[in-house]
Amino acid sequence: MPALMTAAVDSGAFTLRRARKGDLPRILQLLADDQLGATRENTDDLTPYEKAFDAIDGDPAHLLVVGELDGDVVATFQLSFLPGLSRKGSWRAQIEAVRVSEVLRGQGVGALMIQWAVDQARARGCSLVQLTTDKSRVAAHRFYARLGFVASHEGMKLTL
């Protein structure tokens, strides 16, 4: 899989690439590696995750990305492109499920990933980039604010 981006970080060469189905177990470990994810993910049966991976991978409006360090998957996020009627029919980019392995936090990996996603949004003609983060993730709020994101809306969800 060709690299989408490569950058030097304290721990070595960090590379972003499109996720492969074989990355799924590691992606799920990253998603479950915190107090919120641990309660949401159940990997006893990979079938629903594989179906979701196939849907994301098969749709050009969605991109599941992993970050590698020395061949090991250490980060992930999803980038989706959404059309809209508001803002003169403009497109927006949605960033979801951003995770960086605990051993790499503080080395700029998250900022590299988000900047790459923002650059992709610009290249696709999006008028804005949006994301949500749980209210309890105070450190994540500070991180996104440092990158220029503004808490301009109150998000709401309905669990089904």
Side-chain angles (χ1 to χ4, degrees), residues 4-78:
L4 301 170
M5 180 211 71
T6 301
V9 297
D10 292 347
S11 299
F14 178 74
T15 302
L16 286 183
R17 66 165 170 80
R18 199 177 179 98
R20 298 184 288 256
K21 196 176 248 184
D23 297 321
L24 204 48
R26 182 61 181 132
I27 292 169
L28 296 175
Q29 285 177 337
L30 288 165
L31 293 177
D33 189 26
D34 69 16
Q35 72 279 8
L36 295 173
T39 63
R40 292 190 294 225
E41 308 308 331
N42 180 343
T43 58
D44 293 341
D45 178 10
L46 293 182
T47 305
Y49 295 104
E50 290 169 343
K51 286 181 182 178
F53 179 91
D54 290 341
I56 294 165
D57 196 50
D59 187 335
H62 302 281
L63 180 62
L64 186 60
V65 176
V66 294
E68 285 185 328
L69 186 69
D70 298 326
D72 295 325
V73 173
V74 294
T76 188
F77 69 94
Q78 180 178 332

Side-chain angles (χ1 to χ4, degrees), residues 9 11 14 68-69 74-75 100-110:
V9 297
S11 299
F14 178 74
E68 285 185 328
L69 186 69
V74 294
V100 174
S101 175
E102 189 173 350
V103 297
L104 281 180
R105 291 182 195 148
Q107 294 188 36
V109 168

Side-chain angles (χ1 to χ4, degrees), residues 66-123:
V66 294
E68 285 185 328
L69 186 69
D70 298 326
D72 295 325
V73 173
V74 294
T76 188
F77 69 94
Q78 180 178 332
L79 180 60
S80 297
F81 299 97
L82 310 167
L85 292 177
S86 66
R87 299 176 185 254
K88 298 182 180 179
S90 69
W91 284 74
R92 65 197 68 220
Q94 175 83 23
I95 300 173
E96 291 283 337
V98 178
R99 297 292 191 284
V100 174
S101 175
E102 189 173 350
V103 297
L104 281 180
R105 291 182 195 148
Q107 294 188 36
V109 168
L112 288 169
M113 294 186 335
I114 298 301
Q115 187 57 58
W116 182 86
V118 168
D119 291 345
Q120 294 304 300
R122 279 194 185 101

